[in-house]
Amino acid sequence: MSKEFIETLITKEMIDEKIDKLAKILNEEYKEKRPVFIVILKGAFIFAANLLTKLTMDLRVDFMVLSSYLGERNSSGKVRIEEDISIDIDDEDVVVIEDIIDTGLTYKTLKKKLLANSPRSLKLVTLLDKRSKRNVDENPDFTCFVIDDLFVVGYGLDYKQRYRNLPYIAVLKEE
Ligand code: PRP
């Protein structure tokens, strides 16, 4: 049986620096607004926690639990909504926080569902963008890191529910 191991790809310091920059941009862009941030669980929980504590506008936070990878390396091709938001987003400025946009299928499904509730605006913030894997025409408005087609874990991202607690992003490899 092959043995898995991890190699650091993006350090905690690199992530902290990018989050600071992103927070400055969002603080400027939304300073006159009262946005609703929707955190997509499980993967985005660490990124969202660190980003949200650096935001200074009057904001609200809600959560959705979505899954399609079911802990595996490849998308099942179906996006399951396990839990929905409870805030009414009609006429609100909505910002979705994701850990990674890969094929884009999750965000495409989510966007259609959110737009049906008539937000005033809808934007997407992501920690990681695996742009080369995209097979739908959806792109984030704010991205911290564009990465190659590597299977990454850590900082919220998992393999079979493991590695989410790593304070950095690592590539999962097999011997
Ligand atoms: C991951 C990630 C995104 C989605 C991106 O979720 O958090 O929501 O996949 O992939 P896509 O662009 O190919 O659709 P996952 O299904 O692994 O659930 P998790 O966040 O609970 O780990």
Side-chain angles (χ1 to χ4, degrees):
M1 206 174 83
S2 63
K3 208 173 156 227
E4 68 194 45
F5 65 101
I6 56 168
E7 260 173 25
T8 305
L9 179 70
I10 306 172
T11 64
K12 183 180 181 304
E13 289 70 29
M14 290 161 76
I15 298 171
D16 287 345
E17 199 180 308
K18 283 281 184 178
I19 290 180
D20 281 346
K21 281 189 185 158
L22 176 58
K24 280 197 183 101
I25 294 169
L26 294 173
N27 281 331
E28 184 57 31
E29 183 143 340
Y30 288 90
K31 70 178 172 200
E32 307 295 339
K33 297 176 179 161
R34 300 177 65 230
V36 175
F37 284 82
I38 301 179
V39 182
I40 308 303
L41 300 176
K42 301 174 187 168
F45 76 108
I46 294 182
F47 173 49
N50 288 317
L51 176 63
L52 287 165
T53 52
K54 297 198 163 73
L55 300 183
T56 50
M57 76 289 287
D58 181 7
L59 62 82
R60 288 177 292 164
V61 183
D62 208 342
F63 302 91
M64 273 180 99
V65 184
L66 300 182
S67 68
S68 58
Y69 283 74
L70 312 174
E72 298 296 334
R73 284 172 174 266
N74 294 305
S75 171
S76 66
K78 284 199 183 114
V79 180
R80 278 209 322 236
I81 299 176
E82 318 264 8
E83 196 145 335
D84 210 341
I85 49 171
S86 55
I87 293 177
D88 180 6
I89 59 165
D90 179 25
D91 205 27
E92 301 290 351
D93 292 302
V94 173
V95 185
V96 171
I97 303 183
E98 265 285 22
D99 52 317
I100 186 165
I101 305 300
D102 191 322
T103 63
L105 180 69
T106 301
Y107 188 63
K108 188 183 179 199
T109 308
L110 176 63
K111 187 177 176 183
K112 193 173 163 204
K113 185 176 159 41
L114 295 176
L115 288 178
N117 292 308
S118 316
R120 187 181 307 147
S121 67
L122 176 63
K123 291 210 171 171
L124 170 64
V125 169
T126 187
L127 176 64
L128 304 173
D129 181 355
K130 213 189 264 188
R131 208 166 279 173
S132 61
K133 283 282 292 295
R134 198 82 86 258
N135 58 22
V136 299
D137 189 22
E138 292 297 347
N139 288 304
D141 300 283
F142 308 98
T143 300
C144 290
F145 301 95
V146 175
I147 58 165
D148 293 335
D149 183 15
L150 302 163
F151 190 83
V152 286
V153 294
Y155 212 79
L157 290 94
D158 75 311
Y159 174 55
K160 297 189 175 175
Q161 305 303 332
R162 292 160 54 224
Y163 302 108
R164 291 197 198 270
N165 59 311
L166 295 177
Y168 54 87
I169 301 287
V171 181
L172 185 73
K173 297 186 167 180
E174 277 176 18
E175 250 166 15

